[in-house]
């Protein structure tokens, strides 16, 4: 009996304690905080608070997610062909993937960055780099479509890209691999002193965002890994991490890790801009593609440019300096005030933070410890602001919450570590699952971060999801950072490798989103603005079909007179002027993808009929209750047949010949 009594008493006491703790927690955190799930739940019909633009890594694309829900909204094709949207398949977008190496249908997209005005996100454009065949793309955030791609000459492994200055004066591209300059046939073991690394500054027109290469700085043959712009007091400077300052060309995992310190290169781009504006620099022959998509013509054009302006750092004294930084620094991040430059040596257990103010004073006092290829090396102690000691293993990237805290990822120890700017003390650490690379706080690369969430992008997930064969999904993880301690809220799968991301409050972007393309404004060469204008025209062995589509039929729908060996162009215009009513079209045997055509747009695909018969085409996007009835036929006759071109409009036969 005594045992039973003691047990009941113990249960009562424990219940009171738990009840008391629960009440205290509830009154302190509020009812919603009691459930992690509720923090990421976005009710049906409600919208997310943030857009997250997450690079697709080796998919070559850019994916758009909502935060905090982690819902996938769209995959924007950028550097890779996309059959879902016909990007790179239709005649209008093929020029977007043109390069000096020809049509390149794939790339490795890495670092998106959102345009800024006065150091704050303005939501006009996202820029992103293609790593493999060096390119920078611009995505227009009114249409969420890629509208411009510029190739970067004299570069290889376009990794320290694509970050913008605080008024989007420039988007910057830095080479990871140094290469011979000028490019030529030469022995690889003569790397040292002969290979160079190009840092490219691409001007952005403030009116329409048009990109153009303003100048390239030809740096020593190191590897330029990542970069970030100065802001506030350091606006006008750009900072690039370097590794392989040993200039090794073989077994870099050993030979590029010999130096105790590598560098952060500090570039005074305003000084170089002034030099260039006054006629400085040298134009050299270079071939690179500049591809532009027009919303008026709904078509892209590609231009091969043939020269670029090169700046030698030694020709602009006071424009370039090296800040010694341990050891093989990877991430290079600047805090919202512009005072602190964080260099994360991936082979160091410590984080190194430099002071911009101390850097300027060291330059004024000429506190140099040497030079590399004529570029002054600043004294480490003269520029060093502080060190976050023993913070983890394998530090990579840092972002800021705008409240005096920084967050750094650690690849080897798989964690995000929160530390205090100024005191350099570690405040909190949370595990990631697993091997985190980049992280993102919306607005993290600006003067005004929105420090509510941090998104960690992981390289390995192993046991976190249902198995799908040898490869399991890539993943991102969302943490609440509004409290003293971080709280893991959500895992969600991602497209490709989630390499890096840029986030922005949804209300900055959503209000400008385009709903339709106005048909009357179309200047497409082959637009058909009404069904009455639909037609089929033969020109030798080329046949041009001027077709329209609207719920729920094509015009024309039946076409005869096509012959084996013809080259048949389908120029298809979506006549809809209603939001979210695209139509698709595909043709049996066509060596291309479907077309997915937005309201008011015109797109073209080419079909080479190879077999006689009567072949159907149909709408591929479920558009109405009569979607299945949205179809047509093409009659294909033998080559040389006397069957004339004719077609049906509104059910009536029309002879074209």
């Amino acid at each position: 009996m005594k045992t039973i009594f003691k047990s009941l008493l113990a249960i009562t006491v424990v219940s009171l304690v738990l009840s008391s703790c629960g009440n205290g927690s509830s009154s302190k955190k509020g009812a919603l905080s009691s459930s992690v799930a509720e923090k990421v739940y976005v009710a049906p019909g409600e919208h997310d608070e943030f857009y997250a633009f997450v690079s697709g890594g080796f998919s070559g694309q850019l994916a758009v997610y909502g935060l905090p829900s982690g819902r996938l909204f769209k995959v924007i094709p950028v550097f890779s062909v996309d059959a879902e949207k016909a990007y790179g398949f239709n005649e209008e977008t093929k020029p977007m993937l043109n390069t000096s190496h020809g049509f390149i249908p794939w790339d490795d997209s890495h670092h998106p960055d959102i345009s800024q005005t006065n150091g704050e996100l303005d939501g006009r454009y996202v820029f992103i780099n293609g790593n493999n065949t060096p390119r920078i793309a611009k995505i227009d955030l009114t249409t969420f479509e890629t509208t411009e791609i510029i190739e970067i000459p004299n570069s290889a492994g376009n990794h320290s890209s694509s970050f913008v200055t605080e008024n989007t004066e420039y988007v910057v591209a830095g080479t990871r691999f140094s290469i011979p300059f000028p490019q030529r046939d030469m022995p690889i073991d003569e790397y040292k002193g002969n290979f160079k690394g190009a840092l490219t500054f691409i001007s952005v027109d403030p009116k329409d965002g048009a990109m153009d290469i303003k100048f390239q700085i030809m740096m020593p043959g190191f590897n330029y890994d990542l970069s970030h712009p100065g802001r506030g007091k350091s606006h006008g400077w750009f900072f690039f991490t370097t590794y392989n300052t040993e200039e090794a060309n073989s077994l870099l995992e050993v030979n590029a890790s010999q130096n105790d310190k590598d560098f952060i290169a500090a570039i005074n781009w305003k000084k170089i801009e002034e030099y260039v504006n006054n006629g400085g620099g040298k134009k050299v022959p270079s071939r690179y593609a500049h591809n532009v998509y027009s919303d008026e013509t709904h078509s892209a054009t590609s231009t091969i440019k043939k020269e670029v302006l090169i700046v030698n750092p030694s020709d602009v004294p006071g424009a370039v300096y090296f800040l010694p930084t341990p050891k093989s620094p990877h991430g290079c991040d600047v805090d919202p005030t512009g005072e602190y430059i964080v260099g994360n040596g991936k082979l160091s257990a410590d984080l190194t933070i430099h002071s911009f103010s101390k850097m300027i004073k060291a330059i004024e006092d000429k506190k140099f410890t040497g030079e590399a290829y004529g570029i002054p090396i600043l004294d480490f102690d003269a520029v060093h602001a502080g060190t976050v000691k023993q913070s983890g293993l394998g530090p990579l990237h840092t972002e800021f919450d705008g409240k005096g805290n920084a967050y750094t990822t650690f690849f080897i120890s798989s964690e995000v570590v929160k530390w205090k700017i100024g005191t350099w003390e570690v405040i909190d650490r949370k595990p990631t699952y697993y091997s985190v690379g980049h992280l993102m706080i919306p607005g993290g690369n600006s003067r005004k971060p929105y420090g509510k969430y941090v998104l960690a992008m992981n390289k390995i997930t192993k046991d976190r999801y249902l198995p799908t064969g040898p490869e399991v999904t890539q993943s991102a993880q969302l943490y609440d950072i509004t409290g003293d301690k971080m709280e893991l809220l959500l895992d969600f799968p991602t497209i490709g490798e989630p390499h890096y991301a840029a986030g922005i409050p949804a209300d900055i972007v959503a209000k400008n989103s385009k709903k339709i393309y106005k048909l009357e404004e179309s200047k497409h060469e082959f637009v058909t603005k009404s069904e009455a204008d639909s037609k089929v025209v033969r020109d030798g062995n080329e046949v041009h079909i001027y077709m329209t589509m609207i719920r729920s039929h094509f015009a024309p729908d039946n076409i005869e007179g096509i012959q084996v060996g013809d080259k048949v162009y389908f120029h298809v215009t979506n006549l809809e002027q209603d939001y979210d009513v695209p139509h698709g079209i595909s043709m049996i045997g066509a060596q291309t993808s479907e077309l997915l055509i937005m309201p008011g747009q015109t797109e073209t695909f080419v079909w080479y009929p190879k077999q006689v018969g009567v072949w159907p085409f149909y709408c591929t996007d479920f558009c109405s209750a009569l979607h299945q009835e949205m179809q047509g036929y093409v009659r294909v006759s033998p080559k040389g047949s006397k069957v004339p071109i004719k077609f049906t409009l509104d059910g009536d036969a029309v002879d074209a010949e």
Side-chain angles (χ1 to χ4, degrees):
M1 186 66 185
K2 284 184 179 178
T3 301
I4 295 173
F5 176 77
K6 287 180 179 177
S7 297
L8 288 173
L9 180 61
I11 291 170
T12 303
V13 170
V14 170
S15 299
L16 286 172
V17 170
L18 291 176
S19 174
S20 173
C21 290
N23 288 340
S25 175
S26 177
S27 61
K28 183 178 179 181
K29 296 182 178 178
L32 285 180
S33 299
S34 64
S35 170
V36 168
E38 287 180 346
K39 288 187 176 182
V40 299
Y41 178 66
V42 179
E46 299 292 325
H47 291 178
D48 281 275
E49 185 177 358
F50 293 95
Y51 285 106
F53 299 94
V54 183
S55 69
F58 43 72
S59 80
Q61 316 295 42
L62 179 69
V64 186
Y65 299 86
L67 297 181
S69 72
R71 297 181 297 187
L72 174 64
F73 298 146
K74 183 173 185 176
V75 176
I76 302 172
V78 183
F79 297 114
S80 299
V81 295
D82 184 335
E84 178 189 354
K85 301 175 183 66
Y87 184 81
F89 289 94
N90 62 32
E91 298 304 302
E92 286 76 9
T93 57
K94 283 180 180 175
M96 293 298 287
L97 300 179
N98 191 38
T99 74
S100 63
H101 304 273
F103 180 80
I104 302 297
W106 171 87
D107 215 308
D108 185 13
S109 62
H110 271 212
H111 307 121
D113 202 12
I114 299 171
S115 57
Q116 300 180 21
T117 300
N118 297 322
E120 298 184 12
L121 304 181
D122 61 23
R124 299 177 69 196
Y125 312 109
V126 174
F127 300 92
I128 188 168
N129 58 316
N131 198 33
N132 182 57
T133 303
R135 290 174 276 184
I136 299 291
K138 182 185 72 185
I139 292 97
D140 187 327
L141 290 183
T142 64
T143 60
F144 284 62
E145 291 184 354
T146 304
T147 55
E148 192 171 2
I149 295 178
I150 193 165
E151 187 180 1
I152 311 300
N154 306 313
S155 180
N158 179 34
H159 197 263
S160 47
S161 319
S162 52
F163 303 102
V164 302
T165 55
E166 70 173 19
N167 286 301
T168 320
E169 297 97 333
Y170 294 99
V171 56
V172 167
T175 191
R176 172 181 165 195
F177 306 114
S178 287
I179 55 176
F181 176 76
Q183 187 61 273
R184 59 191 182 279
D185 178 12
M186 64 168 288
I188 297 172
D189 61 6
E190 294 178 10
Y191 179 110
K192 195 166 188 174
N194 289 312
F195 282 39
K196 300 293 181 185
L199 305 180
T200 305
F201 283 69
I202 302 162
S203 63
V204 180
D205 190 303
K207 293 181 179 177
D208 59 10
M211 299 190 293
D212 192 20
I213 294 179
K214 179 84 170 181
F215 56 84
Q216 289 189 309
I217 307 168
M218 203 51 66
M219 298 284 285
F222 309 152
N223 291 44
Y224 296 85
D225 209 0
L226 274 165
S227 68
H228 265 92
R231 55 180 60 94
K233 64 174 67 177
S234 56
H235 177 54
W237 291 77
F238 225 100
F239 304 93
F240 296 81
T241 47
T242 71
Y243 66 99
N244 192 25
T245 53
E246 298 86 350
E247 296 181 79
N249 62 76
S250 178
L251 198 60
L252 262 63
E253 64 178 340
V254 174
N255 296 324
S257 305
Q258 301 300 307
N259 292 340
D260 183 56
K261 292 183 177 66
D262 295 279
F263 302 123
I264 288 177
I267 308 291
N268 186 338
W269 61 261
K270 280 202 169 181
K271 196 176 187 71
I272 296 177
E273 177 185 62
E274 181 182 7
Y275 169 75
V276 167
N277 288 343
N278 287 323
K282 179 182 179 182
K283 290 185 177 179
V284 301
S286 294
R287 294 186 77 249
Y288 60 98
H290 186 192
N291 311 326
V292 180
Y293 182 86
S294 165
D295 275 349
E296 291 185 338
T297 63
H298 302 164
S299 302
T301 56
S302 179
T303 304
I304 295 294
K305 296 197 169 184
K306 297 182 179 177
E307 64 179 15
V308 68
L309 186 70
I310 299 293
V311 174
N312 186 333
S314 61
D315 293 337
V316 195
V320 183
Y321 298 91
F322 285 135
L323 284 64
T325 306
K327 181 174 183 183
S328 297
H330 184 61
C332 181
D333 303 286
V334 180
D335 85 308
T337 70
E339 170 61 18
Y340 297 112
I341 305 121
V342 183
N344 298 327
K346 56 183 180 285
L347 300 180
S348 171
D350 299 334
L351 308 182
T352 300
I353 299 95
H354 297 303
S355 161
F356 177 75
S357 300
K358 294 177 75 171
M359 184 192 85
I360 295 299
K361 189 169 190 315
I363 293 170
E364 292 171 350
D365 295 344
K366 299 186 183 304
K367 291 192 174 182
F368 307 136
T369 58
E371 54 87 19
Y373 295 98
I375 297 172
I377 301 172
L378 292 164
D379 179 72
F380 176 79
D381 293 329
V383 300
H384 183 226
T387 299
V388 182
K389 290 189 173 295
Q390 300 298 313
S391 43
L393 296 176
L396 291 183
H397 305 283
T398 300
E399 296 248 328
F400 308 91
D401 63 6
K403 303 168 188 172
N405 302 307
Y407 302 76
T408 299
T409 54
F410 289 80
F411 180 81
I412 297 174
S413 51
S414 285
E415 58 185 339
V416 176
V417 173
K418 176 182 179 180
W419 50 275
K420 191 74 175 176
I421 298 172
T423 66
W424 323 122
E425 59 185 323
V426 172
I427 299 172
D428 189 25
R429 58 177 71 241
K430 284 287 181 293
T432 61
Y433 306 96
Y434 305 94
S435 301
V436 60
H438 276 277
L439 76 172
M440 181 276 285
I441 293 173
N445 178 33
S446 75
R447 287 191 193 184
K448 186 181 179 182
Y450 299 86
K452 189 171 183 178
Y453 302 109
V454 63
L455 187 71
M457 285 151 272
N458 304 321
K459 307 300 183 187
I460 298 170
T461 55
K462 289 192 179 291
D463 55 359
R464 301 293 286 184
Y465 298 94
L466 287 173
T468 52
E471 184 194 24
V472 291
T473 183
Q474 309 278 329
S475 172
Q477 292 185 298
L478 187 71
Y479 297 80
D480 182 342
I481 57 171
T482 56
D484 293 336
K485 300 295 183 182
M486 295 177 281
E487 182 180 18
L488 176 60
L489 301 178
L490 178 70
D491 287 16
F492 61 93
T494 59
I495 301 295
E497 178 211 5
H499 193 91
Y500 184 46
I504 184 171
D507 58 7
I508 297 177
V509 174
K511 62 187 177 187
N512 299 320
S513 188
K514 185 186 285 285
K515 290 184 167 53
I516 62 168
Y517 296 95
K518 293 182 179 178
L519 190 60
E520 67 270 21
E521 295 177 357
S522 174
K523 295 181 180 177
H524 192 289
E525 182 181 3
F526 299 106
V527 63
T528 304
K529 295 188 177 181
S530 73
E531 287 189 12
D533 296 327
S534 299
K535 57 187 177 183
V536 182
V537 177
R538 176 178 285 282
D539 180 10
N541 70 337
E542 287 190 0
V543 178
H544 294 263
I545 301 172
Y546 297 76
M547 179 179 283
T548 64
M549 56 197 340
I550 195 167
R551 285 166 289 184
S552 298
H553 62 277
F554 295 97
D557 58 358
N558 289 334
I559 302 162
E560 300 188 21
I562 306 300
Q563 300 178 14
V564 171
D566 281 343
K567 183 177 184 181
V568 183
Y569 290 84
F570 284 77
H571 308 293
V572 188
T573 300
N574 183 349
L575 296 180
E576 304 278 1
Q577 293 291 269
D578 191 8
Y579 183 37
D580 195 23
V581 190
H583 291 292
I585 181 173
S586 67
M587 182 73 217
I588 188 170
Q591 294 172 314
T592 179
S593 75
E594 59 134 16
L595 301 184
L596 185 66
I597 308 172
M598 300 301 118
Q601 264 191 327
T602 300
E603 293 187 6
T604 300
F605 74 93
V606 179
W607 182 49
Y608 297 92
K610 295 181 174 59
Q611 300 178 31
V612 298
V614 179
W615 306 106
F617 58 89
Y618 68 102
C619 177
T620 53
D621 191 72
F622 204 104
C623 55
S624 73
L626 297 176
H627 164 73
Q628 292 296 83
E629 283 74 11
M630 195 166 174
Q631 66 168 63
Y633 286 103
V634 177
R635 175 185 173 187
V636 178
S637 301
K639 186 175 180 60
S641 167
K642 301 299 183 184
V643 175
I645 291 286
K646 61 181 180 179
F647 51 91
T648 55
L649 282 181
D650 200 22
D652 296 326
V654 178
D655 290 327
E657 295 179 331

